[in-house]
Amino acid sequence: MHIHSIINGQSVMGQASSFSVINPADESIIAEVSAASAAQVDEAVHAASAAFKNWKNVSDDTVKQIFAKIAADIRAEKNSIAQLITQEQGKTLGMAQFEVEAGASWIEYLSSLEIPIETLQEPNGKIIKVYNRPLGVVASVTPWNWPFMIAVWHIFPALKTKNCVVNKPSEYTPLSTIKLAEIINRHIPAGVCSLVLGKGDVGQALTEHPEVAKVTFTGSTRTGQSILGHSVSSLKSVVLELGGNDAGIVLEDANLDTAAEGIFASAFLNAGQTCAALKRLYVHESIYDALTEKLLRIAEAQIVGNGADAAVTFGPVQNKMQYDKVKALIADAVAQGGKILTASKAIPEKGYFIAPTLIADVAEGIALVDDEQFGPVLPIVKFSAIDEVLERTNNTQFGLGGSVWSTDLEQAQQIAAQMEAGTVWINSHSDLSPAAPFGGWKLSGLGYSFGLDGLLLFTHKQAVHITGS
Ligand code: NDP
């Protein structure tokens, strides 16, 4: 299968070099991609600028009707989209179906939001109306962990606020995003939403383009910093959702059965490849052995294999680079005294498989605890006092999320207030809401996504001062 960019409503063969898309479960080639050239990126941005002249004036009702048609088409094609996600990303088919369904629901939620117009009255009788106007062309660059969902998170707030958008999916996982762009283009004018295929250089050409008014990016801190640096000359608005190293703190009084289920579900969500997954587990010393035992039982019940197989509960790591990185972190942790709790499992010979791995007897000072692993391995660290654990968990450059596990909800909320992170969960982790702002502190991000706060970052304010004649 040869796959194409979608520029100005047309499926277009890329004019730059080719590369392959690999199924991480068996390392087979599932698609060939010809990357878009710099001229084609330019064309997509020009088409978006041209389409913006009309799209910015489209009525709210028209946008709602379009979103309803797109959500209905996504649901109608849910199974085939989910199969693409499993093939390119590796997650189980059930998880891929969840990703598609959640995408459709997210679009419906966004559709229900009203973009506010504020009216101010001055003492002298003058009225000031404050509008949230569209920005123009939005560049979106999306990663390989939740390719369909994150494309929805980028593209639909842009369209809702009447911007035009050009997306570049990850080179590893373009297939489900192409399907999404095809569905969108059935219902919107040409040029409003384009998609350019390619590697980092295409992302760079797109995000640096002088006609782009805003960049929305999800991926590594390093790439996010580079995008922000290049935004200066044209003063682009930039929203960055970057990496995290979320700590979960389990207090003495936690319900260990439900905590073990919730912690495992978050830490190993999508084989641990989720920005807001629980990545460092801090457990009070009095319950350390009991909780690790429960986690171990859940880990050992997983069936690791090709996510397309209905019996499988745990898929591969998405790409070789990430597989090698996670393997190296595990080896380093063991070399520094960490103890692997999980028994080695039979895993398929081909494919980027790593069974869910729990590592005990580790602490800060080793890479597995200090850095983001972004894969199926969880370090379990002991603590004895709350003040001490807060200091240890906050002592990081990341600030995406964190969680507290306790039956004392008052105390848990007091601890949440001390955590240096944009999202704190109590007795859960990773569950996101389209209604709540989501954004990282420190090196985990810039700006917000989701909720009205996130939506309005796709607009700029215009104050209209009205004085009677
Ligand atoms: P990157 O940040 O390199 O890639 C994310 C996206 O940015 C991809 O579409 C990539 O294209 C694109 N890109 C790469 N370079 C540039 C550039 N200079 N300008 C614009 N776009 C660019 O992440 P990696 O895939 O390298 O993953 C590495 C690490 O990033 C992981 O270990 C994890 O820590 C973190 N990560 C975080 C995610 C999150 O959800 N917050 C998601 C994925 C990764 P291409 O893939 O084609 O190179």
Side-chain angles (χ1 to χ4, degrees), residues 163-422:
N163 297 285
C164 294
V165 58
V166 182
N167 168 262
K168 191 207 80 77
S170 168
E171 69 184 84
Y172 299 112
T173 54
L175 304 181
S176 56
T177 318
I178 294 176
K179 189 75 213 167
L180 177 65
E182 281 171 7
I183 291 174
I184 294 170
N185 273 281
R186 282 177 207 157
H187 302 291
I188 55 164
V192 172
C193 177
S194 292
L195 171 145
V196 287
L197 296 177
K199 299 191 179 183
D201 58 326
V202 176
Q204 187 168 348
L206 175 62
T207 54
E208 288 179 14
H209 198 289
E211 278 174 49
V212 164
K214 171 178 172 124
V215 180
T216 174
F217 171 78
T218 304
S220 67
T221 297
R222 179 183 36 79
T223 306
Q225 287 168 322
S226 157
I227 287 173
L228 185 62
H230 287 112
S231 71
V232 172
S233 59
S234 52
L235 294 182
K236 291 181 193 352
S237 162
V238 177
V239 168
L240 304 172
E241 296 294 350
L242 308 175
N245 196 11
D246 292 13
I249 300 175
V250 191
L251 305 186
E252 278 177 278
D253 64 357
N255 176 330
L256 295 193
D257 287 320
T258 54
E261 293 286 344
I263 288 164
F264 189 88
S266 169
F268 294 99
L269 177 64
N270 196 26
Q273 302 159 111
T274 297
C275 52
L278 192 162
K279 293 179 178 140
R280 300 175 284 160
L281 184 64
Y282 285 78
V283 184
H284 191 271
E285 58 192 1
S286 64
I287 51 163
Y288 188 90
D289 291 343
L291 184 65
T292 40
E293 178 57 34
K294 287 180 193 295
L295 286 168
L296 185 55
R297 265 188 258 137
I298 302 171
E300 294 194 325
Q302 302 306 309
I303 301 166
V304 179
N306 188 329
D309 175 347
V312 162
T313 61
F314 208 92
V317 170
Q318 199 282 324
N319 56 69
K320 180 76 165 61
M321 164 197 75
Q322 200 62 26
Y323 172 86
D324 289 341
K325 175 179 159 182
V326 174
K327 281 283 199 190
L329 284 171
I330 294 172
D332 177 68
V334 171
Q336 304 214 44
K339 184 170 149 209
I340 296 186
L341 297 177
T342 21
S344 62
K345 270 183 172 292
I347 55 172
E349 268 180 27
K350 265 206 144 179
Y352 310 133
F353 292 100
I354 301 175
T357 305
L358 302 168
I359 302 203
D361 298 342
V362 281
E364 300 82 8
I366 68 164
L368 180 61
V369 179
D370 294 346
D371 298 339
E372 181 183 39
Q373 69 275 51
F374 216 73
V377 52
L378 179 67
I380 312 179
V381 183
K382 229 176 245 180
F383 76 90
S384 53
I386 289 172
D387 287 350
E388 161 224 324
V389 77
L390 275 170
E391 193 164 325
R392 290 167 70 187
T393 51
N394 282 336
N395 186 20
T396 167
Q397 291 191 310
F398 293 109
L400 193 59
S403 57
V404 186
W405 302 77
S406 169
T407 48
D408 181 344
L409 299 185
E410 277 308 314
Q411 189 191 18
Q413 287 176 74
Q414 285 164 16
I415 293 172
Q418 303 306 317
M419 293 180 86
E420 296 170 4

Side-chain angles (χ1 to χ4, degrees), residues 52 55-57 132-136 158 161-163 458-460:
F52 180 64
W55 182 252
K56 68 180 180 182
N57 294 319
N132 294 286
R133 305 289 197 201
L135 297 165
T161 44
K162 301 173 193 176
N163 297 285
F458 285 82
T459 65
H460 41 197

